[in-house]
């Protein structure tokens, strides 16, 4: 069971020998501590691959016949790990991995003369094939994903409901009493320790040596113990 933000704030206030609260709105200090917890939370997840934040979700299609192979990243994407595209049908699915290539490699491949091509970007000459299923993609601006081709005989543009992307997603954070902090149990003690350390430093004029020691110990521990299933050596995929 995940800890609520109120529970974490109450624990920190107790250790600081501050006024107890029953709700975040009961005191200005409780609201300040909640803000510190939020900042600490995002500091923790920004520097780590948190398994529970990985999701299998579709890309966002531009649904634009003038840019038939363009997509955008799902909301709050931290890292795009893999893309698959269904080159089959809804009843007979055939998902194929769409491989990432560097932008300059993508540009070089556009010069292949045996492909039928269609201009897809008004700002510069950018071409994709219109007679075959996609096989690779790139991103020039870390916002749009562009695949190399589509089959105009099958569809006017690539469809979002045919994509399957494996992404690491930044979760949302709500400063409300009942908000359940989206963090696995091995990382919760680290969040609590680092939040306490920051609160002592900000509101009590100095850090507590014991809390600092606990935070360092927990930081070392969670680096190698984030998965419930023991992980073998894995390939590393960079976001486009």
């Amino acid at each position: 069971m995940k800890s609520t933000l109120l529970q974490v704030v109450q624990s920190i206030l107790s250790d600081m020998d501050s006024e107890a609260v029953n709700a975040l709105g009961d005191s200005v200090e409780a609201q300040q501590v909640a803000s510190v917890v939020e900042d600490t939370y995002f500091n923790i997840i920004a520097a780590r691959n948190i398994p529970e934040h990985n999701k299998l979700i579709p890309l966002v299609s531009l649904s634009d016949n003038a840019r038939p192979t363009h997509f955008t990243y799902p909301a709050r994407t931290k890292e795009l790990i893999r893309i698959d595209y269904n080159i089959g049908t809804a009843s007979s699915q055939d998902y194929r991995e769409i491989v990432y290539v560097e932008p300059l490699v993508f540009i070089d491949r556009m010069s292949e003369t045996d492909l039928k091509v269609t201009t897809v970007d008004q700002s510069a000459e950018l071409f994709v094939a219109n007679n075959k299923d996609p096989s690779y993609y790139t991103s020039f601006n870390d916002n749009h994903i562009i695949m190399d081709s589509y089959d105009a005989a099958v569809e006017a543009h690539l469809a979002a409901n045919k994509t399957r992307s494996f992404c690491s997603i930044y979760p949302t954070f709500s400063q409300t009493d009942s908000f359940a902090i989206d963090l696995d149990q091995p990382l919760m003690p680290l969040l609590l320790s680092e939040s306490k350390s920051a609160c002592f430093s900000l509101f009590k004029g100095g850090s507590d040596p014991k809390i600092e020691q606990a935070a360092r110990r927990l930081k070392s521990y969670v680096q190698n113990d984030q998965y419930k299933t023991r992980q073998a050596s894995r390939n590393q995929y960079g976001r486009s």
Side-chain angles (χ1 to χ4, degrees):
M1 186 167 133
K2 295 183 182 295
S3 299
T4 66
L5 178 59
L6 177 59
Q7 289 171 332
V8 172
V9 169
Q10 287 172 328
S11 175
I12 294 172
L13 290 174
S14 175
D15 283 359
M16 293 197 305
D17 199 25
S18 297
E19 180 184 355
V21 298
N22 294 315
L24 298 178
D26 285 353
S27 73
V28 172
E29 188 176 29
Q31 296 170 21
Q32 292 173 326
V33 170
S35 293
V36 171
V37 173
E38 180 176 359
D39 291 342
T40 304
Y41 172 77
F42 281 108
N43 286 340
I44 288 173
I45 66 172
R48 290 172 176 81
N49 175 24
I50 310 296
E52 64 187 290
H53 296 165
N54 294 340
K55 300 185 184 298
L56 199 61
I57 52 179
L59 299 176
V60 180
S61 173
L62 294 191
S63 299
D64 182 356
N65 291 354
R67 291 186 285 179
T69 68
H70 276 56
F71 295 89
T72 57
Y73 292 90
R76 306 190 312 278
T77 295
K78 176 183 177 183
E79 181 183 16
L80 175 60
I81 301 168
R82 172 170 167 161
I83 299 174
D84 295 334
Y85 194 79
N86 180 19
I87 65 172
T89 63
S91 59
S92 180
Q93 298 178 351
D94 184 11
Y95 280 96
R96 302 287 177 86
E97 181 180 0
I98 310 301
V99 179
Y100 172 75
V101 299
E102 296 288 342
L104 293 180
V105 174
F106 190 93
I107 291 172
D108 289 341
R109 291 185 182 181
M110 287 194 304
S111 64
E112 297 176 11
T113 57
D114 60 334
L115 299 178
K116 295 180 181 179
V117 295
T118 301
T119 304
V120 298
D121 201 315
Q122 297 176 350
S123 61
E125 276 198 329
L126 181 62
F127 301 97
V128 296
N130 63 2
N131 62 344
K132 66 186 186 73
D133 296 314
S135 59
Y136 59 90
Y137 76 96
T138 197
S139 180
F140 293 99
N141 57 11
D142 216 32
N143 182 32
H144 289 102
I145 293 165
I146 306 172
M147 296 188 187
D148 65 302
S149 59
Y150 72 108
D151 190 343
V154 175
E155 52 194 351
H157 55 77
L158 297 179
N161 63 4
K162 290 186 174 183
T163 63
R164 184 173 64 186
S165 67
F166 184 50
C167 301
S168 177
I169 301 293
Y170 283 112
T172 57
F173 195 101
S174 174
Q175 289 196 26
T176 55
D177 295 347
S178 60
F179 172 67
I181 298 175
D182 190 7
L183 205 60
D184 211 357
Q185 285 306 310
L187 284 170
M188 281 304 302
L190 177 62
L191 173 66
L192 189 57
S193 291
E194 294 206 341
S195 298
K196 285 180 182 178
S197 178
C199 286
F200 267 93
S201 179
L202 289 169
F203 308 131
K204 297 298 181 181
S207 59
D208 184 290
K210 288 293 184 182
I211 294 174
E212 289 287 328
Q213 182 184 47
R216 287 194 299 270
R217 186 185 303 116
L218 287 164
K219 190 178 297 184
S220 175
Y221 169 75
V222 298
Q223 293 286 30
N224 297 312
D225 193 40
Q226 297 182 65
Y227 291 86
K228 291 185 176 71
T229 302
R230 184 170 294 280
Q231 302 291 300
S233 177
R234 300 180 301 145
N235 291 329
Q236 299 297 315
Y237 300 89
R239 178 179 171 183
S240 61

